[in-house]
Amino acid sequence: MDVATRDGSQEHLPDAAVTELMSRLRGSLVTAEDPAAAAEPCEVWNAMHADRPAVSARCSGTADVVDAVNFARDHGLLLAVRGGGHSVAGFSTARDGMLVDLSAMRGVQVDPDRRLVRVQAGALLGDVDRETQAFGLATPLGRVSETGVAGLTVGGGYGHLQNRHGLSCDNVVAAQVVCADGTIRTASAGTHPDLYWAIRGGGGNFGIVTSFTFRLHPLGPVVAFAGTFYPLEDLADVERRWRDHVVSTPDAVTSFIVTMTFPAAPGMPDVVHDRPVAIVGGVYSGNPDEGMRVMQPLRELGTPLFDMSQPMPYSVVQAALDPIFPRRTLRAYWKSQYLDELTDDAVDAIAGRALDRPAPQTLVNTFHIGGAVHAVGPEETAFAERSSPFMVSVDTMWTDPAQDASAIAWGRAAWEELGKFGNGNVFLNFTGLADEPVQAGVDSAFGRNLRRLGQIKAVYDPENLFQVNNNIVPTP
């Protein structure tokens, strides 16, 4: 069997070597020729990056990960890691390479007395929310319940609780990491603190995290939710009023604007079916009644088409956007830009692009960032962007492969236009790749932290085994 290597060549794996690894794993080793290869336990999300690996180690636990890493290193193989498979850039697979599939490792164990939760790296956001909400607790995660916890967290992790409780990576108190030498290390403030610093925002460059321990916060089971639909043609006026309001809201509020063509979803009113809309959303981390009062202005930014704002279970809020992001259906090329100021000209440019999207599935979104995210210094974790109050994401999504070139060109053009109003920094989890190097955006995302990250990379992965990611080059 021939497998892609890290240097771009092909390595022929003797049958005996493959058989020996199969015998060691408690999980399964599946080759491309195996009929089981087509039935992946966790399919990739971005249909544009659905390439099959030559061999997949479907791991049952940390020991399997150790054996898989040692095998890939010893044979020089191109290695990718899959947790939830939601990588926009396609890092959840490696064409003709080796995949370490963690998707069977979905255990979640809550310690309510210490307000901690230990989460295996194959868990999805919904897995964590289900277990923690049973105790009226939560940790900040993303906004789509089928997103993988691991990729979200090592990349930073924005979500509905960010302004009150910080990013996902800010709430990691420890992690178990299988490094390139096959050693299992615990990364925490007191053990391997350099590794602990790096994995909190530095991506998958330093090893495979097999479990995280997160800090938990009292929340739910019901939270205040704002979700108001405005006509997309009113976006410029709505976003100006939203901007002026959110900069003075309490940290308990995390708010955003999503622009999209809303599908004809069952249970939703006809007035928004297949209608281009701007959805102003918000979640309040605190008393639901107080939250509905505080977020009332989000519901009065214009003349709504529909308002679904109400107290609702936090787990429902977390899954509300799931139907918009079906797995292995959408082709996606995303770009992001941080803004130090959301000027009127920037709002007009955002509105113009939102009204001229290449496909109904494409989103142009604006996020308000503040509070606990800004309370962490830019060098306290690897995640460096700690000051911008706004981020714009251009989520170019479509379904027809024949539209690839035109959709990607539109996404790049929109990002470049909006970049005129940004500070040059990007969010790597929202950075799609198409004919671009894996280092694209790394300099602007990490800034002053990049040199230190390169040095830590040289300690834990000097040969760059973990390179299918937003790659940081080892720099001794």
Side-chain angles (χ1 to χ4, degrees):
M1 177 175 58
D2 291 335
V3 184
T5 63
R6 297 197 301 277
D7 63 8
S9 62
Q10 295 277 319
E11 169 79 6
H12 180 75
L13 293 180
D15 290 344
V18 175
T19 300
E20 196 274 337
L21 179 59
M22 285 181 175
S23 70
R24 293 179 63 86
L25 298 179
R26 286 289 183 91
S28 59
L29 189 70
V30 179
T31 65
E33 296 80 16
D34 190 324
E40 293 183 300
C42 178
E43 292 188 318
V44 296
W45 173 75
N46 189 349
M48 198 167 71
H49 300 292
D51 299 314
R52 301 283 188 189
V55 59
S56 298
R58 297 177 178 176
C59 300
S60 67
T62 299
D64 279 358
V65 176
V66 170
D67 286 334
V69 166
N70 287 337
F71 185 84
R73 183 195 62 245
D74 292 346
H75 291 277
L77 304 182
L78 181 66
L79 180 67
V81 183
R82 183 178 303 173
H86 252 250
S87 170
V88 175
F91 296 143
S92 299
T93 191
R95 178 185 296 178
D96 300 327
M98 181 174 180
L99 176 67
V100 175
D101 188 338
L102 309 175
S103 61
M105 299 167 55
R106 295 175 64 168
V108 178
Q109 185 175 9
V110 180
D111 183 340
D113 296 328
R114 299 172 64 199
R115 290 186 180 171
L116 298 173
V117 59
R118 187 170 183 270
V119 182
Q120 286 188 298
L124 306 181
L125 273 56
D127 298 327
V128 180
D129 291 334
R130 176 168 173 77
E131 297 300 325
T132 58
Q133 281 292 280
F135 298 93
L137 299 168
T139 196
L141 295 173
R143 294 182 172 93
V144 176
S145 73
E146 289 197 347
T147 304
V149 171
L152 172 91
T153 301
V154 298
Y158 289 110
H160 288 309
L161 308 181
Q162 68 194 33
N163 289 355
R164 178 67 177 272
H165 296 302
L167 303 177
S168 301
C169 69
D170 298 336
N171 287 271
V172 173
V173 299
Q176 188 178 79
V177 188
V178 176
C179 296
D181 62 358
T183 300
I184 305 168
R185 293 180 170 91
T186 297
S188 68
T191 308
H192 302 295
D194 56 344
L195 183 60
Y196 176 59
W197 180 87
I199 63 168
R200 290 180 294 153
N205 280 281
F206 311 96
I208 300 177
V209 177
T210 56
S211 69
F212 298 87
T213 301
F214 291 99
R215 185 182 303 110
L216 292 170
H217 307 273
L219 185 82
V222 173
V223 296
F225 171 73
T228 306
F229 292 62
Y230 296 97
L232 188 58
E233 55 268 26
D234 295 347
L235 174 60
D237 290 338
V238 167
E239 185 146 337
R240 284 185 174 87
R241 297 186 185 106
W242 173 82
R243 171 200 63 195
D244 296 341
H245 172 70
V246 296
V247 293
S248 61
T249 54
D251 294 345
V253 178
T254 299
S255 183
F256 57 92
I257 299 179
V258 172
T259 71
M260 62 181 299
T261 299
F262 199 81
M268 297 295 284
D270 291 345
V271 69
V272 297
H273 283 190
D274 299 316
R275 174 76 180 263
V277 295
I279 305 173
V280 176
V283 173
Y284 185 87
S285 303
N287 179 274
D289 294 333
E290 173 70 7
M292 294 308 299
R293 183 190 68 78
V294 170
M295 293 194 297
Q296 181 63 29
L298 298 178
R299 308 167 65 185
E300 301 171 346
L301 301 174
T303 302
L305 293 168
F306 173 60
D307 188 355
M308 61 183 295
S309 305
Q310 59 185 299
M312 64 175 63
Y314 176 66
S315 58
V316 173
V317 173
Q318 286 286 85
L321 295 177
D322 287 6
I324 301 172
F325 300 97
R327 194 176 289 269
R328 202 167 182 171
T329 300
L330 298 174
R331 307 175 75 78
Y333 181 79
W334 296 10
K335 293 292 184 184
S336 62
Q337 182 67 238
Y338 289 100
L339 285 72
D340 292 334
E341 183 182 6
L342 188 58
T343 64
D344 286 347
D345 287 344
V347 170
D348 288 341
I350 292 167
R353 285 296 177 173
L355 288 164
D356 183 35
R357 293 164 296 122
Q361 299 90 351
T362 292
L363 315 178
V364 180
N365 309 319
T366 312
F367 302 91
H368 175 240
I369 305 168
V373 178
H374 290 177
V376 177
E379 297 179 14
E380 289 185 48
T381 68
F383 195 90
E385 179 47 75
R386 298 290 184 170
S387 61
S388 297
F390 297 100
M391 179 176 66
V392 177
S393 70
V394 179
D395 303 355
T396 313
M397 297 186 290
W398 64 101
T399 57
D400 184 0
Q403 197 181 354
D404 285 1
S406 61
I408 291 169
W410 183 91
R412 284 177 176 156
W415 180 63
E416 290 171 1
E417 178 184 356
L418 297 176
K420 298 173 184 176
F421 308 100
N423 60 17
N425 297 337
V426 303
F427 178 43
L428 289 177
N429 274 9
F430 285 0
T431 298
L433 297 179
D435 301 320
E436 295 154 280
V438 293
Q439 287 84 16
V442 167
D443 288 353
S444 61
F446 294 122
R448 292 180 299 178
N449 290 341
L450 184 58
R451 178 172 176 78
R452 182 179 176 188
L453 285 165
Q455 293 170 339
I456 296 172
K457 175 83 169 181
V459 172
Y460 292 101
D461 185 17
E463 301 302 320
N464 206 8
L465 173 63
F466 303 111
Q467 62 180 242
V468 182
N469 47 43
N470 297 115
N471 197 236
I472 295 168
V473 178
T475 53

